[in-house]
Amino acid sequence: MKLAGAAALLAACSLAAAGPAAARTAADPYAALLAPAGTCAADTELGLSQEAASRVMLCLTNYARAQNGLALLKPAAALQLAGRDKLAADVSCSEFSHTPCSKPFTAVFAGYLAGARGYDVGENIAWGSGDLGTARETMTDWLHSAEHRKNILTPAFRELGIGYLPNQSFQGYDATLWSQEFGTRTPAAAHRAARRR
């Protein structure tokens, strides 16, 4: 069993705020990975519903993967729950961490991993206040971070769950928290059936 590494990035340290979009695009090696404005509906909006947040982040993520010739990720309910649980733990423990409250990294993946013979999981987390909490700003930050970009562009990942908590009082800010929970798994039954052939 392998765990994909992930580092935490505060969306408040946004690289997207560095200058005009045109100037960033010309000198930005990762600009081609970010969906053009208007491609993913609501990517610049705050206070989205969970469904809308999941849809827009999946769109942004799959756009980046498509630019690299990778398979598109499919939504997975168990990974969606993992994302919500991770962010809820971050808020309740008042820490921004992949292991909030000293829980093991894979604790939130229990439902996804149940019955799996093999798996690979990864996670990106972010938070931002004001406009830095939009899906577009969050994805921009992740694409400019080597560890986060690696998770987004890992060919082995096949499924994605999105955690999203808007309007949270977090570390002294009115914040929006995001997570991407990546995974691929081989169910034990599928593995046994393959061996019988």
Side-chain angles (χ1 to χ4, degrees):
M1 291 182 252
K2 177 182 164 193
L3 296 177
L9 174 71
L10 291 173
C13 298
S14 176
L15 294 174
R24 284 195 316 267
T25 303
D28 185 351
Y30 307 111
L33 297 177
L34 185 63
T39 301
C40 299
D43 65 345
T44 60
E45 295 179 23
L46 294 168
L48 301 171
S49 68
Q50 181 67 48
E51 181 181 327
S54 295
R55 188 174 45 248
V56 69
M57 191 58 80
L58 179 64
C59 176
L60 290 166
T61 304
N62 278 336
Y63 183 90
R65 290 177 64 86
Q67 298 310 299
N68 277 270
L70 299 173
L72 302 183
L73 300 175
K74 296 178 183 173
L79 290 175
Q80 196 85 352
L81 182 58
R84 290 182 200 153
D85 288 350
K86 177 59 63 84
L87 296 180
D90 276 357
V91 170
S92 70
C93 298
S94 298
E95 62 181 296
F96 184 64
S97 172
H98 293 282
T99 56
C101 305
S102 300
K103 293 180 182 175
F105 173 72
T106 55
V108 296
F109 292 100
Y112 183 72
L113 301 179
R117 170 116 168 92
Y119 65 88
D120 191 1
V121 296
E123 173 179 84
N124 288 342
I125 59 175
W127 72 270
S129 62
D131 289 344
L132 296 177
T134 66
R136 187 170 193 81
E137 291 296 333
T138 300
M139 179 59 81
T140 298
D141 288 340
W142 282 336
L143 291 173
H144 285 87
S145 162
E147 289 298 316
H148 294 94
R149 190 173 56 254
K150 178 181 175 184
N151 281 338
I152 293 166
L153 301 178
T154 294
F157 291 143
R158 294 288 180 250
E159 298 177 302
L160 180 68
I162 303 299
Y164 176 71
L165 288 178
N167 307 313
Q168 298 294 308
S169 178
F170 187 68
Q171 300 193 356
Y173 294 91
D174 179 25
T176 300
L177 290 85
W178 290 91
S179 73
Q180 291 177 311
E181 309 297 334
F182 300 93
T184 188
R185 58 190 300 271
T186 305
H191 182 73
R192 282 193 295 272
R195 287 191 333 199
R196 290 183 189 154
R197 289 186 184 167

